[in-house]
Amino acid sequence: MEDPCSISTISDGCWVVFQKGTYLKLTKITQKPYMLGKRRESVSIHLSSAIGQPYGSTFQMVCSNDKKRIYYLQCLTWEEISNYDLKRETANEASAFDNRNLLGDGSSQKLTMEEIMALKKSGASGEEVIQAITANSTTFSSKTKYSQQKYVDKKGKKHAELIVIHKPTIDLIAEAMFFQGPRTVSYLRPDSLYQLLSYSNVYPGSRVAVYDSGTQGLVTAALLHRLGAAGRLVHVYAGEKALKYTYFTSAVTAMNFDDDTFSALSFLHINRLHKVKKPEKTLDTTLEPLVIDPRLLRPDAPMDVTDNGTQEQPHGKRKHDQDEKADKPCARRKAPLMELYMELKNHGGRCMHLSETWLRELQVLPERTHPLVNMSGGGGFLLTGTKVCDEDQK
Amino acid sequence: MTFDKFHKIIKECDTVILYFNNTQTYALEVTKTVKNRHGQQVPHVFQSMYGALKVESLVGLQFGCRVQLATGAGYIFYPTPELWTLTLPHRTQILYTTDISMVIARLNIGPGSVVCEAGTGSGSLSHAILRTVGPTGHLHTADFHEQRWLAAADEFKRHGLNDRVTTYWRDVCTLGWPVTEVADAVFLDLPRPWLALPHAVNAVKLNGGRICSFSPCIEQVSRTCELMRSLGLQNVTTLEVLTRELQVLHSDMPVIDITPDDRPNLKELEMSAGESDAKRPKLSADIESSQEGSEDCNVTESEKSDLSAIALTKEVPSPIFNGEGRTKSKSILSAYPKLTQAGHTGYLTFCIVPPGLPRPVSTPVV
Ligand SMILES: C[S@@+](CC[C@H](N)C(=O)[O-])C[C@H]1O[C@@H](n2cnc3c(N)ncnc32)[C@H](O)[C@@H]1O
């Protein structure tokens, strides 16, 4: 039976990523209204009105009760979206007109979707269409101005941003969670997570063990996505609380994984780690051995990825985990990783790198391109390395 | 044949990584013979700083093992796409893991994904994509440079990736990819990405997908972003990502042993209080204000001025040396930033192709 959440339309009970401008939030589609905004100005939106539309559709908020500020969502067509954007741009420009420090920017007029479609209908060849849309916008400026007039919103309504309901993919989840509060994911910035995913060499069907706490299951969900149904992911946890419980309210749940992928995930308490049996030394080439062979990796704090390694954890790793437990973990610290670096180096760790990534976003607009004024100061440290064969350690 | 499926024991024709240290890392293909400059087959021997390695001798060893050469030892690593990126033969500029990680994650590539790429270049990104899409996914990669196309196709074959990749010798700016409406993601690393952008949109599945373009220069980014918005692509985002690497080592730090010295200072007799007041440099302000509050402090005016002198000059005999007259030091674990590092690779521009977006090009591709 097809899981309603794995198909490509928004359905009841599914997790989605709600986007309004730069605002991103992970939420569930229910019959209850979604509260948006701070207490006094908050509005309630009936997300259930989006059910049946494809993921990634764009919606307009339509007021159904002005006093109670209740809205529902109305799906927009392509023509509506492009007209809507144009209206907003025109409105912005009109308001900017009197500001002498701003550039009156006629050069940024763009071809509308409608015009592209009209051009296609008029029998223009594909190449001509491309030429038209890639050519300098001035060629079309008169035409654009005409259509602009047509769409100028005479009533001068406020232009609220449109809403997009996305399928929860790992990048959108990581971003939404970091956006909602870096602390909720132990300051693991999405780009650091992405580096971790590369360096841990996870691939469909590989075997991975992870120690991941304090990230709302973000690392686990990301690994599970990369592993697919053919993989094996052992989630090593510490503490008394059955982690499974918290698990089902996390990024792992939000991914709407199918049953096959979900069954790749199993749990193991850290105190039982020593019990994991060594794999038999067969030459079965279809499965990777459960030994920390190619890659060993952990970012700072509660996350820990060890590619194909549930046992043979160097002593240092375990000790480190305990340190972290005693001391409130924080992904922003690098000192624990420096110590771990040294310990792992003495336990067969080679090709070790301690690093951090620097991420900067840019505003790109004609004549107004510059890096964003604010950027994140730190998104976690990452220690990567390769564990070599044991013979060497003696 | 090592990139398709993990195995533990080195076989003939495997590609392996020979690691000595972080700057001396090499990719080797385990073969009996290689062609020399004159086109003759000669035994495959790798000449390293630490001596010669008969490459064939690696067959049967385990990945992760140590190999002893004449004057030093190295390790044999399994070739992950990250290690391949560091060791591959350069035919073009390539993308490195920092950017690659961002590209793969933000394009939402996973098992079974179908990806279109142009240009293939040296295949650095391609290898990382191929690992992530796995045997059930597919990569359609195009380059208009014949030699590069042939070299990449040959490499994929030797790496056992043939089943999950199709290479094209093709100009994507005029022709696009031979496949349309199949891709979950499209990646562009071209000098004029905007020309290929309408084709990129066409390659994406009707229910939507992602596109990313990499450009070293902001002018290219500018044109690309403008066109992306015109085509109705959403969430157009441009970013830069760099890695800051830290060197971890134990290093010595001098420790100053401060022993309070209460003996009267001879110098104070030679100096009048007023004089020293006038001469008093700015730096003393801190010391002074910290002393002012305490009533029973027996520091005289002139002693204060002397303290400020200590703060400024080294000649003044001071109590900073310990009994034996030398400073102590202690070993601390430190992380040093590199003196120079990559400051720019390129700008990554991402966008989302929403479901049902009208396609800009309708011509059947040749
Ligand atoms: C910088 S390289 C790509 C490197 C690649 N991303 C990697 O990581 O190895 C750019 C490549 O694009 C190819 N190229 C440039 N214009 C092209 C076009 N119009 N169609 C197809 N390939 C093109 C060039 O031949 C070159 O090999």
Side-chain angles (χ1 to χ4, degrees):
Chain A
M1 200 197 78
E2 183 127 54
D3 181 357
C5 293
S6 61
I7 57 177
S8 56
T9 52
I10 302 165
S11 40
D12 200 9
C14 284
W15 286 90
V16 295
V17 175
F18 175 96
Q19 183 187 4
K20 184 170 187 280
T22 53
Y23 176 92
L24 277 182
K25 173 117 197 220
L26 193 60
T27 185
K28 205 171 177 174
I29 300 280
T30 61
Q31 296 301 325
K32 276 194 239 150
Y34 176 76
M35 302 300 282
L36 179 72
K38 294 217 184 78
R39 238 177 250 165
R40 297 188 81 200
E41 298 124 49
S42 77
V43 296
S44 26
I45 308 171
H46 283 281
L47 294 186
S48 53
S49 51
I51 291 173
Q53 302 295 345
Y55 278 118
S57 298
T58 303
F59 301 87
Q60 190 175 6
M61 277 166 63
V62 181
C63 194
S64 69
N65 183 329
D66 223 356
K67 262 201 188 132
K68 288 185 180 161
R69 290 194 288 238
I70 298 174
Y71 289 81
Y72 66 94
L73 297 178
Q74 186 186 27
C75 197
L76 298 183
T77 64
W78 286 110
E79 284 73 22
E80 284 166 341
I81 295 170
S82 73
N83 292 348
Y84 200 94
D85 284 350
L86 196 67
K87 271 197 286 191
R88 277 186 51 205
E89 246 166 55
T90 322
N92 287 344
E93 250 158 55
S95 61
F97 196 79
D98 278 338
N99 191 333
R100 287 165 200 231
N101 298 325
L102 279 182
L103 291 171
D105 196 4
S107 61
S108 66
Q109 298 310 333
K110 58 186 187 185
L111 205 54
T112 66
M113 187 58 66
E114 226 168 51
E115 284 161 346
I116 294 172
M117 289 300 135
L119 209 62
K120 271 173 74 176
K121 272 196 204 119
S122 75
S125 76
E127 212 160 309
E128 279 169 330
V129 177
I130 292 180
Q131 239 168 35
I133 50 193
T134 57
N136 208 314
S137 341
T138 47
T139 331
F140 288 88
S141 60
S142 58
K143 207 176 173 188
T144 318
K145 286 229 176 76
Y146 170 71
S147 14
Q148 228 181 329
Q149 271 167 5
K150 202 166 114 196
Y151 298 121
V152 166
D153 194 354
K154 287 186 186 110
K155 285 171 196 159
K157 256 194 214 160
K158 258 197 242 161
H159 299 290
E161 272 161 317
L162 295 175
I163 283 165
V164 183
I165 306 276
H166 296 281
K167 188 186 176 83
T169 56
I170 202 68
D171 60 321
L172 289 172
I173 294 176
E175 249 161 75
M177 284 180 162
F178 196 77
F179 178 88
Q180 289 295 329
R183 228 159 59 99
T184 65
V185 285
S186 297
Y187 305 94
L188 178 67
R189 207 174 49 207
D191 54 305
S192 306
L193 170 69
Y194 304 158
Q195 303 300 318
L196 184 158
L197 291 173
S198 285
Y199 283 106
S200 58
N201 192 31
V202 270
Y203 53 89
S206 64
R207 297 167 152 211
V208 178
V210 59
Y211 179 84
D212 165 28
S213 86
T215 70
Q216 299 190 66
L218 186 57
V219 181
T220 308
L223 289 169
L224 210 48
H225 170 237
R226 293 275 171 109
L227 286 171
R232 286 261 318 269
L233 179 61
V234 181
H235 179 104
V236 182
Y237 65 101
E240 275 171 44
K241 225 176 169 186
L243 204 82
K244 276 186 190 175
Y245 173 73
T246 45
Y247 239 64
F248 287 90
T249 61
S250 68
V252 181
T253 346
M255 282 292 284
N256 299 330
F257 285 124
D258 57 29
D259 286 349
D260 284 347
T261 307
F262 215 83
S263 65
L265 178 64
S266 56
F267 299 86
L268 181 70
H269 194 278
I270 198 155
N271 293 344
R272 313 280 295 172
L273 211 54
H274 65 285
K275 290 215 150 200
V276 178
K277 282 205 193 85
K278 268 199 177 186
E280 282 151 48
K281 296 256 175 190
T282 60
L283 287 183
D284 180 4
T285 53
T286 59
L287 278 184
E288 219 164 324
L290 264 169
V291 191
I292 311 167
D293 189 29
R295 300 242 115 191
L296 226 173
L297 179 154
R298 63 165 293 149
D300 191 0
M303 301 79 69
D304 180 338
V305 180
T306 320
D307 185 30
N308 45 62
T310 44
Q311 90 294 355
E312 290 206 3
Q313 293 232 16
H315 172 68
K317 281 181 83 65
R318 249 176 279 161
K319 197 178 136 229
H320 183 68
D321 290 336
Q322 278 156 14
D323 288 346
E324 292 278 81
K325 226 178 72 198
D327 196 356
K328 258 267 142 165
C330 165
R332 289 190 294 183
R333 295 181 307 177
K334 80 181 159 211
L337 284 189
M338 287 157 58
E339 272 166 39
L340 186 65
Y341 180 104
M342 285 302 171
E343 279 206 68
L344 290 182
K345 211 173 158 185
N346 296 333
H347 287 87
R350 294 290 179 276
C351 194
M352 311 254 285
H353 295 274
L354 176 62
S355 65
E356 113 183 89
T357 48
W358 177 95
L359 178 75
R360 188 159 80 165
E361 202 180 315
L362 288 94
Q363 163 189 301
V364 182
L365 288 171
E367 317 276 336
R368 276 165 293 165
T369 296
H370 61 74
L372 294 193
V373 176
N374 289 313
M375 67 181 272
S376 155
F381 292 91
L382 197 70
L383 177 60
T384 65
T386 303
K387 162 97 164 57
V388 294
C389 292
D390 281 340
E391 295 96 347
D392 180 53
Q393 290 171 28
K394 286 151 205 169
Chain B
M1 303 283 270
T2 9
F3 287 84
D4 53 340
K5 232 186 237 170
F6 179 86
H7 53 268
K8 214 171 158 181
I9 307 293
I10 300 166
K11 301 184 269 99
E12 203 175 324
C13 293
D14 276 354
T15 297
V16 302
I17 306 293
L18 173 60
Y19 172 89
F20 292 109
N21 53 48
N22 288 345
T23 49
Q24 288 170 307
T25 310
Y26 311 91
L28 303 176
E29 199 169 346
V30 182
T31 53
K32 278 196 179 78
T33 57
V34 279
K35 263 200 188 113
N36 69 5
R37 251 181 297 158
H38 312 292
Q40 297 157 320
Q41 290 289 338
V42 293
H44 192 178
V45 176
F46 180 75
Q47 296 293 346
S48 81
M49 278 268 288
Y50 307 97
L53 171 71
K54 204 174 156 218
V55 180
E56 198 199 347
S57 68
L58 297 175
V59 174
L61 295 179
Q62 194 176 324
F63 282 105
C65 70
R66 186 182 140 110
V67 285
Q68 182 67 49
L69 301 184
T71 60
Y75 295 91
I76 302 295
F77 286 165
Y78 203 87
T80 63
E82 289 65 44
L83 289 169
W84 177 248
T85 288
L86 292 177
T87 51
L88 58 78
H90 282 231
R91 299 181 285 267
T92 58
Q93 296 264 29
I94 63 162
L95 287 190
Y96 289 92
T97 301
T98 315
D99 286 310
I100 291 174
S101 308
M102 203 72 192
V103 169
I104 290 184
R106 292 200 56 147
L107 286 178
N108 196 34
I109 297 174
S113 294
V114 176
V115 184
C116 289
E117 181 198 21
T120 314
S122 307
S124 169
L125 173 68
S126 318
H127 276 80
I129 293 176
L130 289 166
R131 164 190 57 197
T132 311
V133 301
T136 57
H138 205 83
L139 173 68
H140 298 275
T141 181
D143 202 303
F144 69 0
H145 190 286
E146 191 177 9
Q147 270 71 45
R148 284 177 208 148
W149 164 63
L150 288 171
D154 181 52
E155 218 166 67
F156 294 138
K157 202 167 156 195
R158 281 185 286 129
H159 290 173
L161 296 168
N162 226 6
D163 291 345
R164 53 180 102 163
V165 61
T166 313
T167 54
Y168 306 95
W169 175 34
R170 204 177 166 88
D171 179 351
V172 291
C173 293
T174 56
L175 296 171
W177 289 261
V179 289
T180 52
E181 296 166 12
V182 296
D184 297 288
V186 182
F187 178 80
L188 306 173
D189 181 356
L190 300 166
R192 287 183 292 167
W194 58 89
L195 293 176
L197 195 58
H199 295 293
V201 176
N202 258 30
V204 171
K205 284 179 181 162
L206 287 178
N207 60 359
R210 309 281 179 89
I211 296 176
C212 173
S213 170
F214 174 93
S215 297
C217 304
I218 199 71
E219 288 80 5
Q220 300 166 301
V221 175
S222 225
R223 288 191 80 158
T224 308
C225 284
E226 204 181 334
L227 184 61
M228 280 181 174
R229 295 195 180 102
S230 306
L231 291 174
L233 302 175
Q234 299 180 338
N235 287 26
V236 179
T237 310
T238 302
L239 44 89
E240 286 175 275
V241 60
L242 296 170
T243 293
R244 235 167 67 84
E245 204 178 320
L246 297 159
Q247 261 184 304
V248 184
L249 37 103
H250 284 285
S251 61
D252 284 347
M253 189 181 74
V255 184
I256 298 172
D257 188 10
I258 301 174
T259 322
D261 187 350
D262 291 329
R263 287 170 298 168
N265 197 323
L266 291 174
K267 262 184 113 187
E268 80 187 64
L269 303 171
E270 296 158 16
M271 229 184 265
S272 82
E275 213 184 318
S276 67
D277 244 5
K279 274 189 196 161
R280 188 173 304 161
K282 258 251 144 64
L283 233 155
S284 66
D286 278 352
I287 301 162
E288 200 178 313
S289 60
S290 70
Q291 311 248 347
E292 250 157 26
S294 44
E295 287 291 294
D296 52 1
C297 176
N298 54 8
V299 184
T300 62
E301 265 301 306
S302 51
E303 249 182 18
K304 271 194 226 166
S305 77
D306 201 56
L307 274 168
S308 65
I310 290 169
L312 279 184
T313 60
K314 283 182 189 144
E315 290 100 315
V316 181
S318 63
I320 61 166
F321 292 103
N322 65 11
E324 285 115 49
R326 57 187 157 84
T327 51
K328 287 179 191 162
S329 71
K330 71 171 182 185
S331 173
I332 55 163
L333 189 55
S334 337
Y336 292 92
K338 284 198 163 172
L339 278 180
T340 55
Q341 61 153 47
H344 181 66
T345 53
Y347 301 101
L348 288 169
T349 302
F350 293 92
C351 64
I352 295 181
V353 185
L357 181 79
R359 297 304 154 106
V361 197
S362 47
T363 37
V365 270
V366 201

